[in-house]
Every structure is written in structure tokens, then in C-alpha cells.
Amino acid sequence: MSLPEAATEPERCPFCGSDIASPGAGFMRHVENEPQCRDAFDTWRDRVSDDMRGGWAG
């Protein structure tokens, strides 16, 4: 079963719903510039890092 492209390359921030410039670097710039999104992203990353062998590289 394949996932829709939007599941891995968001056009909107999953934390606040704002449009983002691009799914990669644009998402990271958005997260760095929006404190509420940065906090939510850090919380998400902390929760999933133990689920990934070798930790989170992103």
C-alpha cells in the first residue's frame, strides 16, 4: 500500500496548518521561525526518536 505524497511531503505545517514554501527546507525554516511549531516538532521528534534504529537523523 502506498501512502499519498502529502503524507511525506506536506504543503501545510502539520502543527499549525499554515502553508509552507516547500516540504523540506521550507518546512524546517517554518519550524525554526514559529515557536509553537518548533516546540511541537521537538516534542514529536523526542517521541519518535526511540522508534527509529540508530535514532533520528533529521
Side-chain angles (χ1 to χ4, degrees):
M1 178 171 116
S2 66
L3 294 174
E5 190 171 321
T8 56
E9 297 188 14
E11 295 177 3
R12 292 183 176 272
C13 175
F15 305 114
C16 72
S18 295
D19 289 333
I20 54 176
S22 68
F27 173 72
M28 293 310 298
R29 277 192 301 275
H30 171 77
V31 167
E32 290 169 359
N33 293 324
E34 296 295 330
Q36 77 178 47
C37 297
R38 181 178 49 242
D39 292 345
F41 180 72
D42 288 343
T43 298
W44 173 84
R45 187 172 47 193
D46 287 343
R47 290 180 180 167
V48 300
S49 65
D50 291 338
D51 295 340
M52 297 179 195
R53 184 175 296 189
W56 174 257

